[in-house]
Amino acid sequence: MSARYQLSGTTAVEISAGIESGIRTGALAPGAALPPVRALAADLGVSPATVARAYQELRQRGLLVTAGRHGTRVRPRPPVAARRSALRPPPLPGARDLSRGEPDRRLLPPLGPHLAALAADTGPSVSYSDAGVLPELAEVARARLHADGVPAGELTITGGALDGIERLLGAHLRPGDAVAVEDPGWANLLDLVAALGLRPIGVPVDDEGPMVAGVAAALAAGARALVVTSRAQNPTGSAVSAERAEALRALLAGRRDLLLIEDDHAAELARVPLHPLAGATASWAFLRSVSKPFGPDLRLAVLVGDETTVARVAGRTRVGAGWVSTVLQRLVLALWSDPAVDELVRRAAQSYEQRRDGLLTALAEHGLRAHGRSGINVWLPVPDETSAVTALRDAGWAVAPGALYRIAAAPAVRVTISSLHTDDLTPLAAALAHAANPTPPPGFPT
């Protein structure tokens, strides 16, 4: 905790409000450690139960996380708007930033020509009563999903994959309910689950997707929803194989007490086949975002599912945001309909695959087995994340610590390959090998 920020208060409400204020102003940065309950109680002259209630309230709201022997800390992405000074600091000057998990901007399709065409063809403004999912967008979306084996269902549009997942969980679950999530898994999803007051149950992941025994254990523990990444899983790059999909569908078949959510965020960028689980349960939803192939600023995802599930999401949207901009829908439709854009996305996917496979091969030459079957990330197990991240920082590389993505999984680091060049692979692999297996100082026993 910052020495400049002093916690205060005599009640749980006052203490929690002070901590939230510190997070909002940046005095308590993401990941900052808070004092132990008894230590803070002694400093403030209150009972340990009072401090414990304050911490519990902030944990339930997703602002704090209890990290075992590491104590209580501010979540990496707490759900409260903070000043820009509280945002993640940039890498050291001259360092290569491989920590952000973003696509290569150089490989994104240019939006200018399509925006100009839309501007030239703009008709009357859409009215409140006429707004919603454009029929022509829905038709093309269904065709693209059908080509990948996703069953026909009701369809709606959300403001991106995470927006769709939030609406799905909010429509089906209540605070305190358990959600089965991949472990390691998408950090934003873990933060969202915490912010919604839901209880995550980690499901181990291997290169073929969520492990069947882990899903079965989560169901036995009372999970009311299961979130699966179809391909390009973040952070491990796993992709659900045909055999794994068959086994999971058999396990989930006919369940009426479970909401199944599939996230195909990589979509056209994935160069492995899609093996959907959609339809295995009575309540299901399949999401496909456009942000990874076409650009993060395009906040749109197609959501298909059973009638009740989609109706709940669409109805909640109608009484809130209303609809996803039809201008944005028309832009996405134009991108989908342009063969030149299809070719650009195909070349981008091929480029990512070459860089990812090149790094995996270079690491294998150092005797390291990393993971990255698909997508733009490589997941490298390490004995100690802190020392590995520090060693890489000193060598000029910024990577993401695995703690951002783990519940009970083993330590690792995530390396985003989207900005790498071929010449980077050898020196990066050497730096990663040193970070994963540091040489002990002279005179120390090995």
Side-chain angles (χ1 to χ4, degrees), residues 21-365:
S21 177
I23 296 172
R24 190 173 61 253
T25 60
L28 294 175
L34 295 179
V37 168
R38 292 189 178 278
L40 182 57
D43 288 344
L44 300 180
V46 300
S47 73
T50 298
V51 175
R53 282 198 302 274
Y55 282 10
Q56 179 183 30
E57 192 268 339
L58 292 169
R59 282 196 301 271
Q60 290 174 340
R61 292 177 48 211
L63 274 71
L64 302 183
V65 60
T66 300
R69 62 186 177 89
H70 298 293
T72 300
R73 295 179 176 270
V74 179
R75 288 192 68 87
R77 285 169 52 95
V80 58
R83 294 177 183 173
R84 293 197 63 82
S85 60
L87 299 179
R88 178 176 55 179
L92 295 176
R96 292 289 301 279
D97 189 357
L98 309 180
S99 69
R100 295 188 177 275
E102 297 182 355
D104 188 342
R105 294 183 182 181
R106 299 167 300 179
L107 299 181
L108 296 174
L111 302 182
H114 293 286
L115 288 169
L118 288 178
D121 191 37
T122 298
S125 179
V126 173
S127 68
Y128 289 105
S129 58
D130 295 333
V133 180
L134 294 178
E136 54 269 39
L137 179 81
E139 181 181 358
V140 174
R142 289 183 186 281
R144 295 169 81 92
L145 292 172
H146 176 74
D148 279 333
V150 178
E154 297 299 312
L155 182 147
T156 190
I157 303 294
T158 65
L162 200 63
D163 177 59
I165 294 173
E166 178 177 6
R167 294 180 187 279
L168 286 161
L169 294 176
H172 283 77
L173 277 63
R174 296 294 178 265
D177 287 343
V179 181
V181 294
E182 296 159 335
D183 182 22
W186 189 17
N188 290 5
L189 175 61
L190 298 180
D191 292 335
L192 173 64
V193 167
L196 294 175
L198 303 173
R199 178 167 54 91
I201 300 177
V203 174
V205 175
D206 62 14
D207 290 336
E208 297 184 61
M211 300 178 71
V212 177
V215 174
L219 298 179
R224 295 199 54 212
L226 167 65
V227 184
V228 174
T229 309
S230 304
R231 305 176 284 189
Q233 196 258 8
N234 185 0
T236 69
S238 71
V240 177
S241 66
E243 294 76 14
R244 184 63 51 80
E246 182 179 5
L248 289 173
R249 290 182 68 88
L251 175 66
L252 300 174
R255 290 196 69 121
R256 308 195 67 83
D257 58 344
L258 181 77
L259 170 64
L260 171 63
I261 302 174
E262 286 183 273
D263 176 16
D264 187 35
H265 70 103
E268 294 86 354
L269 280 181
R271 283 173 61 85
V272 294
L274 178 69
H275 300 290
L277 307 177
T281 58
S283 299
W284 63 276
F286 183 97
L287 282 153
R288 175 169 288 178
S289 169
V290 303
S291 296
K292 281 293 191 300
F294 302 119
D297 201 31
L298 300 182
R299 312 307 302 162
L300 183 147
V302 175
L303 187 157
V304 294
D306 67 276
E307 181 179 0
T308 299
T309 295
V310 175
R312 289 181 180 180
V313 172
R316 182 64 184 86
T317 301
R318 187 165 53 247
V319 300
W323 68 92
V324 173
S325 166
T326 54
V327 175
L328 177 56
Q329 293 185 53
R330 292 174 64 201
L331 174 58
V332 170
L333 180 59
L335 292 168
W336 280 348
S337 305
D338 187 346
V341 170
D342 285 343
E343 176 61 18
L344 287 174
V345 172
R346 187 194 67 78
R347 286 162 51 188
Q350 184 178 37
S351 176
Y352 292 143
E353 182 178 56
Q354 291 172 345
R355 289 181 248 184
R356 189 183 66 247
D357 290 350
L359 181 57
L360 293 173
T361 299
L363 288 170
E365 292 172 355

Side-chain angles (χ1 to χ4, degrees), residues 419-440:
S419 64
L420 289 176
H421 302 284
T422 302
D423 294 343
D424 295 326
L425 299 179
T426 297
L428 174 58
L432 287 166
H434 174 72
N437 299 295
T439 303

